[in-house]
Amino acid sequence: MNHVNDKENQNNEVEEMDTQEVETVETPNDAGGGDGGGENRQINGEAQEQNISQDAEMEEGISGLLSIDVMREVAWYSVVTYLILNIADEARSEATFRYTVQNFSKLKESQLSPSCYVRNLPWKIMVMPRTSQTADRQTQRSLGFFLQCNGESESSSWSCYATAELRLLSSKEDTEPFSRKIQHLFYSKENDWGFSHFMSWQEVLESDKQYVKDDSITLEVHVVADAPHGVSWDSKKHTGYVGLKNQGATCYMNSLLQTLYFTNQLRKAVYKMPTESDDSSKSVALALQRVFHELQFSDKPVGTKKLTKSFGWETLDSFMQHDVQEFLRVLLDKLESKMKGTCVEGTVPKLFEGKMVSFIKCKNIDYTSTRVETFYDIQLNIKGKKNIDESFHDYITTEMLDGDNKYDAGEHGLQDAEKGVIFASFPPVLHLHLMRFQYDPITDCSVKFNDRFEFYEKISLETYLQNPEPTRADYTLHAVLVHSGDNHGGHYVVFINPKGDGKWCKFDDDVVSRCTKQEAIDHNYGGHDDDMNMTVKHCTNAYMLVYIRDSEIKNVLQEVTEEDIPQELVERLQEEKRMEQIRRKERNEAHLYMSVQVLLEDSFDGHQGNDLYDPDRALYRIFRVRKQTTLQELLEMLADSLKYPIEQIRPWPFSYRSNQTCRPTLIDIEADLHKTVIDVAENQNPWNVFVEVVPPDSGLQALPSFDKDSDVLLFFKLYDPKTKRIHYCGHHYMPVAAKVQELIPLLNERAGFPPDTELVLYEEIKPNMVERIENYNEPLEKVLEELMDGDIIVFQKDERDVMYDLPTCRDYFKDLFHHVEVTFCDKMIPNDPGFTIDLSQRMTYDQMARAVAQRVGTDPYLLQFFKCQNYKDSPGHPLRCTFEGTLKELLVYCKPKTPKKIFYQQLNIRINELENKKQFKCLWVGPKLKEEKELILYPNKNGTVADLLEEARKQVELSENGSGKLRIFEVNCNKIICGPKEDALLETLNSTGTKSHVLSHGQGNIECGFLVNKESLFNNMTEKLSTSCLGRGSEIEEIPRDELNLAEDEMLVPVAHFYKDIFSTFGIPFVLKVKSGEPFSKVKERLMKKLGIQEKEFEKFKFALVVMGRAQFITDESDYHINLMDFRCNPNQVSASPKPWLGLEHINKAPKRSRFNYLEKAIKIYN
């Protein structure tokens, strides 16, 4: 290979490469790209097929730029010239390379250049001839030009984002090459990108441009690539730093954590936080110490799952992208609180806290109001601002308070004033949040502004200070957090200048790479810069900036050494790693091991169910043994652990029988002693074993011998009908030929009864099947059904004359068969864990209600129950108190394999009364139209609107001089429409679907809103009521005396509040009595009195007559007189439409509801 210097790139090397035979590939279609390989490849939405015949084999040859005249035998079809710049560093971020195609006129198949390595990936030029049809159906031949990345890799997990310029060079001096730009995320399915029609064949051949010389063309590519993902990119090797793994959507957190990590003074303080006694799974401080320590010393990307777990986050939180600013504030607040009372207390405010002064200064009098506030970050408005200086000027620009917006200066009255802020001090580390996400009132959601906004490596903030500080407020840029995407989501990366020396790195989750200052700063301004529109995506721009004060930069970026980390912390983290390695090894070798779960006889005591124990509640002694361990080795292990000689223990594995029981069975120890445990267990894992041991007080040196052919192992239970309890009475070896009668003395002895006590014996065969043993003189093998080891005999005293609820063990087990544990949850308490009761599935509604009422401490008839919604863990329809089924029928819809659950709620009225009523929710509103009290009304379902009003009257306190009468109006979007008459039946309201109504009274009006559905309201009576546009509930008031009887020239006019747009209504609507011909000035007086507001505030109101959705503002109030016809409905108007109404236009001073993305929730760190 021959090396020469390129005239245009004096420091770069040129290398001429061998020619290469290339397979035929399918060609992409048009500009944009696709994969150059494969059959029937779809490119840019079009599937193209092209059959290209393979040319004859090429001869191999070598040509050098300095030896072109002395080239020897060259393949006559094509000679390849290959230029590589900066060949020495395969991890470089950019490179320029060339590929010369000779015998261009005879090019028939696609060709690939040799590889040029950028970011450790092979890049190749791909060239091919193309034919297509023009609009007039003429055949056009074109040159196809592509850039291929990692084309021969079989991996499907890699990706690499790159921008490139594809050039066709001219042999004519001083002639610019023809070039086109691309940007693409290269990955396995799209590993090449370019142009199917880079240039028409005819244009390539044009003589004046001289693209072709000696029947050859030279193609050149300049590629700039990001560090790749999914391949063996060694961040530590290339940069000295490592990244953080992304859990799903935690790139925002990773970017911020890297920024805090490189704030070295904070990192040192975090290390010194005392965490010796902290819970390793819940301590945020310890988890952050762990992440920082691994970032400093690990060679591989660091995980953050333990950190997010310490926050108290669920898995879903890691897949939900949050706001960087919000997360930073919450995390710093948590760190500040954790540092209190420690040696590093005050570190967070010392680093990040600045102060600003808010002021209001009157123009015409000597009066100023000031307030000093602290800040940890500054939000800068970027909309309409060119750079950071303009944003800071905008931040401290004063606002004039004049006209309708004068300042209330207390005893000085309303004054013209200016309002603003000025900075008192800036912190050592300054966080600037660029407000790229702002609320858009048109779309009613947050939108991202991608406008160009310039910021600088060095800034001076001296001009924004109230008074100069001891050191100048000069800052150096330390980090740039960048967001790519829109308001619905995207990706965060961070560019950091770790040592403040201008050497930048890009941290993209687990990948860290070196980058230029231009990439870190200039490329993240945003906007549509023509010079960079192919280098930077339009939606990629800076979102947060971190500056460090020049006077503090040595302190903030002080080196953090191993000596700065407490030895106790290092040892704890090392021990954690050691334990993790052990657990990882156990997981990797888990397939080689099995669990042997051992039960001793004391585990059977107290068990009240079938068989000998409850598998779900048993306290096993668990032994982890290799599957290839022999039974002999297992017995030695058990003997050593249980502290018994091996001859004093005998294993009895539990085996599931065909009749749904689980009983101990015999092991043939002599035959199986040298078999592996997994074979003896018949591949059961875990393997449950009852280990019989010599009773401590027996004096025996070894267990009695057991003859598998003539002996049987029996277990005994005593049933006490008085207490309805089972008592375990041990086990015994019995000859199979022994008579049942021989058991009686043994059982009396075990039970502590006199030897001659008459007993009744039963055999426990399976759940709900217990059979009495009748003939005591027969041998066991004849009396017991299919006599086997592990059979259970239940016995009790023979008390035929005594009456008990469950007189026999057969009755007891039958009742037990129907028992079920039911969890009752309060429906009104979100995520209520409830309480659990053991009930019989044969219980009636009344029996269940009494059991729950006793537990809750209330009357059974003051409880209402709800079945589980079909296989969901939420309440469904309410249960009627007349329900005639059993508890078993109520549990049918519970989720399988979960605790059975029923919901309940406590009532104020008896359930049998409630079922004959309908529920309505409304708010009682006082004379000044202020919400005071929520009412829940229960009129009879067959009643009228008058009954509803009567129910409301019982719960409210009427005014002394009021009329004592109520009325009802319908409210829709904070506007009154109309209401039903008092004699209207409540059930007729069902036919109108879902409504919201209002009742009116006194010096105001009532809005009694309630929802009525077409189905029986009983089914929804306990659900929350909603009003579609109302935003409140419903209101109730009393009718004023002067509105009881209206004259012919009087009427009640609906009144509503709005701001700017008549559809933007708010507040409580009401009705006002007006008289025909009265001046509007009198109407205003009554309005001001009714609303109870100050005159100076009322002067800001504007008034409009709103008819059929159009507002007619009353401009000349002195000349306007009331005309009742203006407020009457148009005969052609739809009945559901609102009547003409009087609009009060003014600012809505009520607090606005917060606006959240429906997928977002506030960030919280719970621990």
Side-chain angles (χ1 to χ4, degrees):
M1 299 181 185
N2 300 314
H3 298 272
V4 297
N5 290 329
D6 185 8
K7 294 178 181 179
E8 296 178 2
N9 300 280
Q10 295 295 329
N11 297 323
N12 296 328
E13 294 179 345
V14 178
E15 181 178 343
E16 185 180 281
M17 306 295 290
D18 294 345
T19 59
Q20 175 177 319
E21 182 178 346
V22 185
E23 293 183 2
T24 302
V25 294
E26 286 300 318
T27 57
N29 180 22
D30 205 353
D35 194 339
E39 296 180 1
N40 252 352
R41 183 61 56 89
Q42 182 169 333
I43 309 297
N44 289 343
E46 291 184 47
Q48 296 286 331
E49 273 191 292
Q50 182 173 356
N51 297 319
I52 303 177
S53 61
Q54 178 128 5
D55 288 327
E57 293 183 359
M58 298 183 294
E59 296 180 11
E60 292 190 350
I62 299 178
S63 62
L65 291 180
L66 294 181
S67 58
I68 291 178
D69 295 335
V70 293
M71 286 169 49
R72 296 184 180 180
E73 299 175 357
V74 177
W76 70 276
Y77 273 117
S78 66
V79 173
V80 180
T81 307
Y82 189 47
L83 171 68
I84 299 181
L85 308 178
N86 295 328
I87 188 63
D89 183 13
E90 292 186 351
R92 60 195 162 178
S93 62
E94 61 181 300
T96 303
F97 59 101
R98 295 176 188 164
Y99 178 71
T100 299
V101 182
Q102 300 202 6
N103 296 315
F104 174 69
S105 60
K106 299 180 180 180
L107 180 67
K108 293 183 179 179
E109 61 184 36
S110 61
Q111 295 183 9
L112 283 171
S113 73
S115 300
C116 168
Y117 279 85
V118 177
R119 297 296 194 187
N120 288 348
L121 293 178
W123 300 78
K124 297 181 181 181
I125 290 174
M126 178 187 291
V127 60
M128 65 207 61
R130 291 284 295 156
T131 56
S132 63
Q133 286 190 341
T134 61
D136 55 358
R137 297 183 179 276
Q138 297 294 318
T139 300
Q140 180 181 2
R141 197 177 185 200
S142 304
L143 175 68
F145 187 178
F146 289 83
L147 174 64
Q148 185 191 79
C149 174
N150 207 22
E152 297 177 6
S153 172
E154 296 181 358
S155 169
S156 61
S157 60
W158 68 274
S159 65
C160 182
Y161 176 79
T163 60
E165 186 172 6
L166 312 185
R167 304 164 184 157
L168 175 60
L169 302 184
S170 171
S171 60
K172 187 177 180 182
E173 291 185 6
D174 302 326
T175 301
E176 290 292 322
F178 178 77
S179 65
R180 299 178 77 172
K181 296 179 180 179
I182 62 168
Q183 59 179 1
H184 183 58
L185 179 67
F186 293 85
Y187 64 102
S188 59
K189 292 186 178 179
E190 290 184 0
N191 60 12
D192 55 54
W193 205 251
F195 301 91
S196 295
H197 303 284
F198 182 76
M199 179 184 279
S200 71
W201 203 268
Q202 190 61 37
E203 289 177 315
V204 176
L205 297 175
E206 285 183 0
S207 59
D208 60 331
K209 296 290 181 68
Q210 295 187 13
Y211 293 125
V212 181
K213 182 179 181 181
D214 297 332
D215 200 21
S216 67
I217 62 170
T218 300
L219 303 173
E220 183 180 82
V221 168
H222 177 74
V223 58
V224 180
D226 288 348
H229 289 260
V231 294
S232 55
W233 174 263
D234 191 336
S235 298
K236 192 83 169 185
K237 173 185 174 182
H238 297 306
T239 67
Y241 311 111
V242 295
L244 291 165
K245 297 177 184 176
N246 193 326
Q247 293 186 45
T250 55
C251 53
Y252 73 96
M253 181 181 72
N254 292 348
S255 299
L256 196 60
L257 288 175
Q258 291 282 17
T259 303
L260 296 178
Y261 168 78
F262 284 106
T263 308
N264 295 357
Q265 191 176 351
L266 176 69
R267 191 200 324 171
K268 187 179 288 189
V270 168
Y271 281 146
K272 292 181 179 178
M273 294 171 67
T275 55
E276 297 86 357
S277 59
D278 286 10
D279 184 334
S280 61
S281 64
K282 293 184 178 180
S283 172
V284 175
L286 178 60
L288 197 58
Q289 288 173 336
R290 186 185 297 113
V291 169
F292 281 3
H293 189 269
E294 290 187 18
L295 283 174
Q296 188 165 349
F297 297 104
S298 177
D299 293 329
K300 296 180 179 179
V302 177
T304 58
K305 286 186 178 179
K306 290 183 179 178
L307 179 63
T308 54
K309 185 179 180 182
S310 75
F311 292 165
W313 290 4
E314 302 294 337
T315 306
L316 181 61
D317 291 297
S318 299
F319 286 89
M320 189 176 292
Q321 200 168 85
H322 295 288
D323 181 65
V324 167
Q325 180 191 14
E326 184 185 5
F327 178 70
L328 174 62
R329 287 182 176 180
V330 172
L331 183 58
L332 288 182
D333 181 63
K334 182 63 63 174
L335 283 179
E336 185 177 356
S337 64
K338 296 284 186 183
M339 288 180 178
K340 285 182 179 177
T342 71
C343 62
V344 289
E345 181 177 359
T347 299
V348 171
K350 180 182 176 182
L351 280 172
F352 304 106
E353 185 179 274
K355 292 181 180 179
M356 65 175 70
V357 180
S358 300
F359 65 87
I360 300 178
K361 183 177 182 180
C362 293
K363 302 286 289 182
N364 302 319
I365 61 171
D366 186 15
Y367 181 84
T368 303
S369 171
T370 61
R371 184 176 71 254
V372 178
E373 300 173 346
T374 60
F375 66 85
Y376 278 3
D377 54 65
I378 301 173
Q379 292 185 327
L380 294 180
N381 182 26
I382 60 107
K383 187 66 176 173
K385 306 294 180 290
K386 291 182 180 179
N387 53 44
I388 197 169
D389 291 325
E390 289 191 11
S391 289
F392 264 104
H393 279 294
D394 176 68
Y395 199 93
I396 64 169
T397 298
T398 58
E399 174 190 355
M400 295 304 300
L401 304 178
D402 54 15
D404 293 340
N405 197 28
K406 288 184 178 181
Y407 172 60
D408 188 351
E411 62 183 18
H412 302 290
L414 297 177
Q415 295 287 332
D416 290 342
E418 61 177 0
K419 175 184 178 183
V421 296
I422 191 72
F423 291 98
S425 65
F426 287 110
V429 181
L430 181 63
H431 288 156
L432 301 179
H433 289 276
L434 310 183
M435 296 172 62
R436 291 198 176 273
F437 294 93
Q438 296 184 24
Y439 173 69
D440 181 9
I442 298 176
T443 59
D444 191 32
C445 65
S446 176
V447 295
K448 184 184 178 186
F449 295 113
N450 292 301
D451 303 18
R452 180 179 176 85
F453 180 82
E454 296 179 4
F455 51 93
Y456 313 111
E457 185 180 18
K458 301 279 187 178
I459 60 172
S460 177
L461 303 179
E462 281 289 307
T463 56
Y464 311 115
L465 282 168
Q466 186 178 31
N467 297 304
E469 293 187 84
T471 59
R472 286 186 56 81
D474 294 336
Y475 284 82
T476 297
L477 187 61
H478 181 240
V480 182
L481 273 78
V482 175
H483 179 263
S484 299
D486 56 20
N487 60 300
H488 298 296
H491 184 58
Y492 286 93
V493 299
V494 62
F495 295 86
I496 299 178
N497 178 13
K499 297 181 180 179
D501 55 1
K503 296 179 181 178
W504 290 82
C505 289
K506 179 181 179 182
F507 294 79
D508 185 358
D509 286 334
D510 56 326
V511 174
V512 187
S513 56
R514 294 282 182 189
C515 67
T516 64
K517 187 184 300 183
Q518 184 184 29
E519 288 177 273
I521 301 176
D522 300 1
H523 288 187
N524 295 311
Y525 289 159
H528 292 282
D529 193 307
D530 292 336
D531 295 333
M532 296 193 301
N533 60 0
M534 291 303 294
T535 309
V536 185
K537 287 186 261 186
H538 167 57
C539 61
T540 298
N541 35 58
Y543 178 60
M544 174 179 160
L545 308 174
V546 180
Y547 282 92
I548 299 179
R549 198 166 187 143
D550 289 349
S551 59
E552 293 285 338
I553 199 162
K554 289 185 179 179
N555 189 33
V556 173
L557 298 183
Q558 60 187 277
E559 186 180 1
V560 183
T561 63
E562 291 188 52
E563 289 71 27
D564 294 315
I565 307 173
Q567 188 60 31
E568 301 83 6
L569 175 61
V570 174
E571 290 174 359
R572 178 168 185 172
L573 296 179
Q574 288 175 346
E575 178 62 18
E576 281 186 0
K577 278 195 172 183
R578 190 183 70 82
M579 294 304 297
E580 281 182 6
Q581 289 173 351
I582 292 174
R583 286 193 291 268
R584 189 180 298 115
K585 182 181 179 183
E586 288 178 353
R587 287 195 298 270
N588 293 337
E589 297 179 352
H591 64 286
L592 302 175
Y593 288 82
M594 63 180 288
S595 294
V596 178
Q597 301 186 149
V598 172
L599 288 173
L600 300 182
E601 196 158 24
D602 56 6
S603 302
F604 305 152
D605 290 333
H607 177 60
Q608 298 299 305
N610 294 106
D611 294 333
L612 296 172
Y613 73 104
D614 184 346
D616 296 327
R617 298 184 179 181
L619 298 176
Y620 300 102
R621 300 187 186 200
I622 301 176
F623 295 85
R624 186 170 179 263
V625 300
R626 294 184 70 91
K627 293 179 179 178
Q628 298 306 311
T629 300
T630 64
L631 182 58
Q632 172 76 35
E633 293 169 334
L634 174 62
L635 291 176
E636 291 172 357
M637 184 188 303
L638 293 176
D640 181 64
S641 176
L642 299 175
K643 308 301 182 188
Y644 281 90
I646 196 167
E647 61 272 10
Q648 292 186 5
I649 66 172
R650 181 173 291 147
W652 298 86
F654 284 96
S655 174
Y656 283 94
R657 299 180 178 178
S658 59
N659 61 0
Q660 303 172 357
T661 59
C662 181
R663 306 288 174 81
T665 56
L666 176 68
I667 289 182
D668 189 346
I669 293 182
E670 293 181 1
D672 297 340
L673 198 58
H674 299 291
K675 285 187 178 180
T676 62
V677 176
I678 191 66
D679 288 338
V680 177
E682 296 179 346
N683 292 314
Q684 291 184 54
N685 188 11
W687 189 34
N688 295 346
V689 178
F690 161 52
V691 176
E692 180 188 9
V693 298
V694 170
D697 54 352
S698 66
L700 298 176
Q701 297 302 312
L703 284 171
S705 61
F706 182 84
D707 189 327
K708 64 178 181 179
D709 297 320
S710 60
D711 290 339
V712 64
L713 171 66
L714 297 178
F715 291 87
F716 308 112
K717 295 180 182 179
L718 167 66
Y719 172 62
D720 183 357
K722 185 182 296 185
T723 59
K724 292 186 283 190
R725 289 190 63 81
I726 294 286
H727 302 277
Y728 176 70
C729 291
H731 69 280
H732 195 71
Y733 302 163
M734 289 292 292
V736 295
K739 295 181 180 180
V740 177
Q741 185 65 41
E742 297 177 33
L743 288 173
I744 302 298
L746 174 65
L747 296 179
N748 278 327
E749 181 186 350
R750 295 281 178 94
F753 298 156
D756 57 349
T757 303
E758 292 188 19
L759 300 178
V760 182
L761 275 59
Y762 297 83
E763 181 187 3
E764 183 185 322
I765 299 174
K766 65 179 182 179
N768 201 25
M769 187 174 181
V770 179
E771 298 294 340
R772 181 169 177 172
I773 300 174
E774 299 290 351
N775 194 343
Y776 292 1
N777 294 316
E778 293 286 339
L780 291 171
E781 59 186 342
K782 290 187 177 181
V783 174
L784 299 184
E785 184 177 314
E786 299 181 12
L787 182 62
M788 298 173 67
D789 291 321
D791 280 358
I792 300 173
I793 292 178
V794 187
F795 66 97
Q796 64 182 89
K797 284 183 181 181
D798 189 357
E799 299 175 307
R800 302 175 187 175
D801 301 329
V802 184
M803 298 299 294
Y804 296 108
D805 286 345
L806 301 173
T808 69
C809 65
R810 180 187 293 169
D811 299 315
Y812 170 84
F813 281 109
K814 185 174 290 187
D815 181 71
L816 178 70
F817 181 76
H818 293 285
H819 266 242
V820 63
E821 289 188 343
V822 183
T823 301
F824 291 88
C825 302
D826 192 331
K827 178 178 176 289
M828 306 308 291
I829 302 177
N831 302 318
D832 179 32
F835 54 88
T836 302
I837 308 180
D838 189 12
L839 301 174
S840 171
Q841 295 185 72
R842 295 181 292 182
M843 267 188 171
T844 62
Y845 174 92
D846 287 338
Q847 290 172 323
M848 178 188 71
R850 283 198 297 271
V852 176
Q854 184 178 3
R855 179 66 179 266
V856 176
T858 187
D859 189 317
Y861 280 91
L862 292 180
L863 291 174
Q864 184 178 31
F865 296 95
F866 302 80
K867 293 184 290 187
C868 265
Q869 213 171 92
N870 291 355
Y871 297 104
K872 294 181 181 177
D873 202 15
S874 58
H877 292 315
L879 188 66
R880 291 183 177 274
C881 66
T882 55
F883 177 72
E884 296 180 353
T886 63
L887 177 61
K888 183 178 181 179
E889 296 171 46
L890 300 180
L891 302 176
V892 171
Y893 296 113
C894 291
K895 289 176 69 174
K897 298 182 180 179
T898 59
K900 306 297 183 184
K901 188 175 289 188
I902 291 178
F903 293 86
Y904 74 94
Q905 76 167 351
Q906 299 190 51
L907 305 173
N908 294 322
I909 64 173
R910 295 172 70 83
I911 182 66
N912 52 347
E913 296 178 16
L914 177 65
E915 291 180 358
N916 292 318
K917 296 179 181 293
K918 290 186 177 181
Q919 184 197 58
F920 298 88
K921 284 188 179 181
C922 44
L923 290 173
W924 170 254
V925 179
K928 298 299 181 182
L929 300 177
K930 294 181 180 178
E931 300 174 359
E932 293 181 347
K933 175 183 175 184
E934 183 183 56
L935 303 179
I936 301 178
L937 308 177
Y938 294 97
N940 290 326
K941 61 172 63 175
N942 297 324
T944 62
V945 171
D947 297 325
L948 175 67
L949 302 183
E950 189 60 33
E951 285 293 318
R953 189 195 311 277
K954 295 175 184 178
Q955 297 191 33
V956 300
E957 185 177 343
L958 304 178
S959 56
E960 293 182 5
N961 300 320
S963 64
K965 292 188 177 182
L966 307 178
R967 62 189 169 197
I968 186 167
F969 291 105
E970 182 180 341
V971 167
N972 185 12
C973 294
N974 303 85
K975 298 188 292 289
I976 290 175
I977 298 180
C978 59
K981 296 180 180 180
E982 288 194 3
D983 58 355
L985 295 174
L986 293 178
E987 62 182 15
T988 62
L989 299 179
N990 291 345
S991 61
T992 62
T994 302
K995 296 282 186 182
S996 184
H997 291 77
V998 198
L999 298 119
S1000 232
H1001 115 77
Q1003 285 114 358
N1005 75 336
I1006 314 180
E1007 289 142 38
C1008 156
F1010 51 86
L1011 258 95
V1012 186
N1013 294 325
K1014 292 185 178 180
E1015 302 176 1
S1016 167
L1017 190 68
F1018 171 78
N1019 288 337
N1020 294 293
M1021 63 175 63
T1022 56
E1023 296 299 326
K1024 290 185 178 178
L1025 306 176
S1026 61
T1027 52
S1028 56
C1029 297
L1030 215 47
R1032 315 178 309 278
S1034 319
E1035 302 89 42
I1036 297 182
E1037 289 183 353
E1038 187 180 4
I1039 303 176
R1041 282 183 175 276
D1042 62 345
E1043 294 182 9
L1044 283 175
N1045 300 304
L1046 299 178
E1048 290 184 1
D1049 61 345
E1050 295 177 336
M1051 72 180 299
L1052 297 177
V1053 172
V1055 184
H1057 307 267
F1058 72 97
Y1059 181 57
K1060 292 186 178 179
D1061 186 348
I1062 60 168
F1063 298 104
S1064 299
T1065 49
F1066 62 90
I1068 301 172
F1070 55 95
V1071 292
L1072 182 73
K1073 186 177 78 171
V1074 296
K1075 187 173 183 178
S1076 180
E1078 72 172 323
F1080 191 69
S1081 57
K1082 289 189 175 181
V1083 176
K1084 287 177 59 178
E1085 290 176 8
R1086 292 202 301 277
L1087 280 170
M1088 187 172 69
K1089 182 179 179 182
K1090 191 178 190 76
L1091 294 171
I1093 58 177
Q1094 299 295 323
E1095 183 176 358
K1096 63 179 181 181
E1097 184 71 22
F1098 193 66
E1099 288 176 357
K1100 301 176 184 178
F1101 281 40
K1102 296 179 182 178
F1103 306 92
L1105 178 61
V1106 183
V1107 183
M1108 299 290 287
R1110 294 184 179 182
Q1112 303 171 14
F1113 282 91
I1114 302 173
T1115 54
D1116 194 349
E1117 298 173 2
S1118 58
D1119 290 344
Y1120 180 72
H1121 290 70
I1122 296 296
N1123 182 356
L1124 298 185
M1125 293 302 296
D1126 292 342
F1127 295 97
R1128 298 195 189 279
C1129 291
N1130 189 311
N1132 299 324
Q1133 186 173 336
V1134 180
S1135 59
S1137 302
K1139 293 169 58 179
W1141 50 281
L1142 180 63
L1144 311 182
E1145 201 260 355
H1146 61 98
I1147 295 175
N1148 180 11
K1149 293 189 176 181
K1152 296 181 180 179
R1153 65 180 176 89
S1154 59
R1155 304 178 184 273
F1156 290 102
N1157 184 300
Y1158 72 100
L1159 283 177
E1160 290 181 357
K1161 62 180 181 180
I1163 297 181
K1164 290 184 180 179
I1165 296 179
Y1166 298 93
N1167 297 324

